[in-house]
Amino acid sequence: MHTLQVSLGERSYPIHIASGLLDRADLLAPHVKAAQAVVVTNETVAPLYLQRLKNTLEKAGVSVIPVILPDGERFKTWETLNLIFDALLGAHCERSTPLIALGGGVIGDMGGFAAACYQRGMPFIQVPTTLLSLVDSSVGGKTAINHPLGKNMIGAFYQPRLVLADIATLDTLPERELRAGLAEVIKYGLIRDPAFLVWLESNLEKLLARDRESLIYAVHRSCANKAEVVAADERESGERALLNLGHTFGHAIETGMGYGAWLHGEAVAAGTMIASELSRLLGWLTADDVERVRRIFSRAGLPVVAPGLGVARYLELMRHDKKVQDGRLRLVLLRSVGQAVLSDVAREDQIGEAIELMCT
Amino acid sequence: MHTLQVSLGERSYPIHIASGLLDRADLLAPHVKAAQAVVVTNETVAPLYLQRLKNTLEKAGVSVIPVILPDGERFKTWETLNLIFDALLGAHCERSTPLIALGGGVIGDMGGFAAACYQRGMPFIQVPTTLLSLVDSSVGGKTAINHPLGKNMIGAFYQPRLVLADIATLDTLPERELRAGLAEVIKYGLIRDPAFLVWLESNLEKLLARDRESLIYAVHRSCANKAEVVAADERESGERALLNLGHTFGHAIETGMGYGAWLHGEAVAAGTMIASELSRLLGWLTADDVERVRRIFSRAGLPVVAPGLGVARYLELMRHDKKVQDGRLRLVLLRSVGQAVLSDVAREDQIGEAIELMCT
């Protein structure tokens, strides 16, 4: 088992990474000091893993209150969040009752936000079951729900007490979601870890074939990158913003196409292609660099062209994003392959040109 | 002008207390470093003070986006909170846009919770206009909305950058609300400041007559008490719970009677009478002590008997409160007049007896 520590003072917590962790009562028990715990999951994950987690918790003397939500990004709304609150209040949960999110990014975001808000904060544990949530959303404390006018607009920074990354859960992940998760893995290589990018270029097929040791290595290295960034900048006042490479364009794609039509990782891949093209227009990347980025996403089976929403619609959607300051779009761009920067130097016409070049 | 500092490390902030502060651009400007600011207020307060605050902000070069909510505790809901989010997104507010709550406790709670959640946190400023919010809710960072099953169940600890306590706004406060605010002022005397209780017993009529110097003294001393407690225990793991004297019973009254039928301060006064009676049953207060508590609330025109909801209903409502741990009711009780304790020694039959003795 690998263990990483996210260093955030009194809010520090461990990430355990290995295969079979769902059965490890010894890892959960120190963080569940209560007679009961809430497990928030969804209709897809519950039949696969809820009973196993329940058995493990019961072995530790903890009874489980399950909350099973509908599956999908389009349910990441206040209405669904309220189902969690109704269950918590209906079961007389206390502020000391732990809430465990068992599932992917949507479950982690909603479970975490519910835990942040219920009685102003209850203990929170992440048990991610998708590649995306293993390498990204379960680490770092960002929680949120969507608003009709923008993705992740309503949320909280709220750190978990523990992340239990059981790589074996990837066995049941649909192919499309595995590929979407790889977009965030590749991202770490692009923004700050060029050696990891080289490793990915050599080992992508093994990851797609779900070779367990390769997955553990990729998850561990991704989480290590993320933990470093989050420890340096918990509330995203600086370096942490670099994790959003491709996300401002990607959020516009997700919102513009309707939540759920594009998977988050798919939108991030296409968004990263626009960001790369814009970096080329600014003279930072060569055409060969852009081609290298395209090739790795393409090999991972991810979209490398963006949907044709029209430049005006892209810009309108991007204005709602959280990366606007003093009215200027601040974008994560690539200084080189392996080094991202946050910049507002791109003019609107250049942004528009990059969008047009990368759209179908 | 008096200035208190709430000492919370990097989340420390000043409370300025005086008459006429709504006009002081120099006090607001250092905390509003943006071209625009949102002012959240309600239909009652807007005609009285919104234009003045707007003028002051415009003098500092800040344009104002007003959000005017319906007035009343029954609107402290997700639906009303969403009106704030709609306005913030509609005006393309950024995460650096400050949100200013201008009004009483409900506006402060909702404005603060909206500021905590919008893009995971925007700068927040409190401009309280009721006695209750001046002495209690605007200090300490508790924000929340109600859930049909319990008061303040969904919320966040989120500290303001500044509290501007303009005592002149009390000139327009309805008599009933002034009296309700005094319940929280008296509370500080009862739980930890017996000398202040003696001062209140001598000066209550001056406060009811809105003598400005007396009000400034009472607000200052109340805020000083609260700031001390909050600095020692921001997230209510210990001493801060003592601020909830009468609140567990009071919340049951508020929820049981329907939000808004009883003002918060009225429910706290009646709830404190039950807590005092229970303290007497436990042998901590004498009958004379209970009579002393009754007299000060009664002179302030506050209810000293609780509504007859029935013991079973009280206990059911109290189980939903945040002060339950391991299934036992933890109550703030009085060891003596001027010294509160948090205790779970009271048996359910004793709690029931105290409720019955204090109900109509």
Side-chain angles (χ1 to χ4, degrees):
Chain A
M1 187 177 78
H2 301 268
T3 298
L4 286 164
Q5 189 76 9
V6 184
S7 300
L8 291 166
E10 57 182 19
R11 293 186 302 290
S12 295
Y13 57 93
I15 308 171
H16 300 308
I17 304 166
S19 187
L21 297 185
L22 271 179
D23 303 316
R24 294 282 297 271
D26 59 315
L27 296 176
L28 278 164
H31 301 277
V32 185
K33 293 173 194 132
Q36 56 180 13
V38 177
V39 176
V40 175
T41 186
N42 69 29
E43 288 165 350
T44 307
V45 177
L48 298 169
Y49 300 114
L50 179 58
Q51 190 58 46
R52 253 178 77 200
L53 184 58
K54 202 161 172 274
N55 292 347
T56 306
L57 284 160
E58 282 167 0
K59 230 186 299 172
V62 179
S63 69
V64 167
I65 302 159
V67 181
I68 300 173
L69 304 178
D71 184 12
E73 178 81 26
R74 71 182 187 283
F75 296 106
K76 211 171 98 173
T77 60
W78 173 259
E79 287 74 21
T80 313
L81 190 73
N82 243 334
L83 297 178
I84 307 179
F85 293 138
D86 291 346
L88 293 172
L89 279 157
H92 297 270
C93 289
E94 304 169 6
R95 60 162 54 140
S96 57
T97 306
L99 186 151
I100 302 171
L102 172 70
V106 173
I107 287 298
D109 274 8
M110 281 203 294
F113 189 42
C117 296
Y118 184 70
Q119 300 201 9
R120 301 194 188 92
M122 62 202 300
F124 174 49
I125 292 170
Q126 291 265 24
V127 184
T129 62
T130 66
L131 184 56
L132 181 76
S133 57
L134 278 162
V135 299
D136 181 31
S137 56
S138 73
V139 179
K142 278 196 183 179
T143 71
I145 55 172
N146 297 328
H147 182 281
L149 293 177
K151 190 172 150 71
N152 293 334
M153 276 293 148
I154 315 297
F157 285 98
Y158 196 69
Q159 301 296 339
R161 306 286 178 96
L162 166 72
V163 180
L164 214 58
D166 186 344
I167 303 294
T169 60
L170 295 181
D171 292 349
T172 52
L173 191 68
E175 185 70 16
R176 185 178 168 198
E177 290 196 41
L178 182 77
R179 292 172 184 273
L182 284 173
E184 298 279 1
V185 174
I186 293 165
K187 180 192 75 180
Y188 294 110
L190 293 175
I191 63 170
R192 70 192 305 272
D193 193 348
F196 184 37
L197 187 66
V198 170
W199 183 90
L200 286 168
E201 289 172 325
S202 303
N203 292 275
L204 198 65
E205 277 66 33
K206 282 199 216 164
L207 292 173
L208 288 167
R210 308 190 195 213
D211 170 68
R212 196 154 284 177
E213 284 317 304
S214 302
L215 282 170
I216 288 175
Y217 179 81
V219 168
H220 183 261
R221 187 128 175 188
S222 297
C223 288
N225 269 296
K226 177 133 191 192
E228 256 181 60
V229 172
V230 168
D233 177 22
E234 184 180 6
R235 297 183 74 90
E236 196 169 306
S237 45
E239 189 193 354
R240 182 163 182 172
L242 302 183
L243 297 173
N244 296 317
L245 176 67
H247 281 58
T248 300
F249 297 108
H251 286 169
I253 294 171
E254 285 179 88
T255 309
M257 300 298 284
Y259 292 131
W262 282 55
L263 294 182
H264 177 66
E266 293 167 346
V268 165
T272 299
M273 288 316 304
I274 303 176
S276 301
E277 189 62 24
L278 183 54
S279 304
R280 188 186 65 78
L281 291 174
L282 293 169
W284 296 343
L285 294 193
T286 66
D288 281 353
D289 289 333
V290 177
E291 183 49 33
R292 184 179 171 199
V293 178
R294 188 197 317 272
R295 202 161 46 234
I296 182 101
F297 283 131
S298 186
R299 283 174 61 201
L302 288 161
V304 289
V305 288
L309 301 170
V311 170
R313 179 78 175 126
Y314 268 98
L315 292 174
E316 184 199 341
L317 288 163
M318 288 162 67
R319 295 224 170 283
H320 279 297
D321 206 70
K322 293 181 287 295
K323 288 88 201 175
V324 177
Q325 192 157 45
D326 299 328
R328 278 192 82 102
L329 273 172
R330 294 195 307 161
L331 294 168
V332 184
L333 300 172
L334 292 174
R335 263 279 171 206
S336 63
V337 175
Q339 193 204 347
V341 289
L342 186 64
S343 167
D344 63 0
V345 300
R347 296 189 314 268
E348 208 164 282
D349 63 298
Q350 294 173 309
I351 298 172
E353 191 184 344
I355 292 169
E356 261 180 11
L357 285 166
M358 282 297 164
C359 279
T360 43
Chain B
M1 187 178 76
H2 301 269
T3 298
L4 287 164
Q5 189 75 11
V6 183
S7 301
L8 291 166
E10 57 182 20
R11 292 185 303 288
S12 295
Y13 57 93
I15 308 171
H16 299 307
I17 304 167
S19 188
L21 296 186
L22 271 180
D23 303 316
R24 294 283 297 272
D26 60 314
L27 297 176
L28 278 163
H31 302 277
V32 185
K33 292 174 197 134
Q36 57 179 14
V38 178
V39 176
V40 175
T41 186
N42 68 30
E43 288 165 350
T44 308
V45 175
L48 296 170
Y49 301 114
L50 178 58
Q51 191 57 48
R52 254 177 75 198
L53 183 57
K54 203 161 170 273
N55 292 346
T56 305
L57 284 160
E58 282 167 0
K59 230 185 299 171
V62 179
S63 71
V64 167
I65 302 159
V67 181
I68 300 173
L69 304 177
D71 183 13
E73 178 82 24
R74 74 180 184 284
F75 296 106
K76 211 171 97 173
T77 61
W78 172 259
E79 287 74 21
T80 314
L81 190 72
N82 244 334
L83 298 177
I84 306 179
F85 294 138
D86 292 345
L88 293 172
L89 279 156
H92 297 270
C93 288
E94 303 169 7
R95 59 163 54 141
S96 56
T97 307
L99 186 151
I100 303 172
L102 172 70
V106 173
I107 287 298
D109 274 8
M110 280 202 295
F113 188 43
C117 296
Y118 183 70
Q119 301 201 8
R120 303 193 186 94
M122 62 202 301
F124 174 49
I125 292 170
Q126 291 264 23
V127 185
T129 63
T130 66
L131 184 56
L132 182 75
S133 57
L134 279 162
V135 300
D136 181 31
S137 54
S138 73
V139 180
K142 278 195 183 180
T143 71
I145 54 172
N146 298 327
H147 182 282
L149 292 177
K151 190 173 151 69
N152 292 333
M153 276 294 147
I154 316 297
F157 286 98
Y158 196 68
Q159 301 296 340
R161 305 287 177 97
L162 166 73
V163 180
L164 214 59
D166 186 344
I167 302 295
T169 60
L170 296 181
D171 292 351
T172 53
L173 191 68
E175 184 71 16
R176 185 178 168 198
E177 290 197 42
L178 183 77
R179 292 173 185 273
L182 285 173
E184 297 280 1
V185 174
I186 293 165
K187 179 192 75 179
Y188 293 109
L190 293 174
I191 64 170
R192 69 192 306 272
D193 193 347
F196 184 36
L197 186 66
V198 170
W199 183 90
L200 286 168
E201 288 171 324
S202 304
N203 292 276
L204 197 67
E205 277 66 33
K206 282 197 215 165
L207 292 173
L208 288 168
R210 307 190 195 213
D211 170 67
R212 196 154 283 178
E213 284 317 304
S214 302
L215 282 170
I216 288 175
Y217 180 82
V219 168
H220 184 262
R221 187 132 176 185
S222 297
C223 288
N225 269 294
K226 178 134 191 193
E228 256 181 59
V229 172
V230 168
D233 176 22
E234 184 180 6
R235 296 184 74 90
E236 196 168 309
S237 45
E239 189 193 353
R240 182 163 182 172
L242 303 183
L243 297 174
N244 296 317
L245 175 67
H247 282 57
T248 299
F249 297 108
H251 285 170
I253 294 170
E254 285 179 88
T255 308
M257 301 297 285
Y259 292 133
W262 281 55
L263 294 181
H264 178 65
E266 293 168 346
V268 165
T272 300
M273 290 315 304
I274 303 175
S276 302
E277 189 63 24
L278 183 54
S279 305
R280 187 186 66 78
L281 291 174
L282 293 169
W284 295 344
L285 295 192
T286 64
D288 281 353
D289 289 332
V290 178
E291 182 51 32
R292 185 179 168 198
V293 178
R294 187 197 318 272
R295 201 160 48 234
I296 182 101
F297 283 132
S298 186
R299 282 173 61 201
L302 288 161
V304 290
V305 288
L309 301 170
V311 169
R313 179 77 177 128
Y314 267 98
L315 292 174
E316 183 199 342
L317 288 163
M318 287 161 65
R319 294 224 170 283
H320 278 297
D321 206 70
K322 292 180 288 295
K323 287 88 200 175
V324 177
Q325 192 157 46
D326 300 327
R328 276 192 83 104
L329 273 171
R330 294 195 307 161
L331 294 168
V332 184
L333 299 171
L334 293 173
R335 262 282 172 204
S336 63
V337 175
Q339 194 204 347
V341 289
L342 186 64
S343 167
D344 63 1
V345 300
R347 295 189 315 268
E348 207 165 282
D349 63 297
Q350 293 173 311
I351 297 171
E353 190 183 344
I355 292 169
E356 259 180 11
L357 284 166
M358 282 296 163
C359 280
T360 41

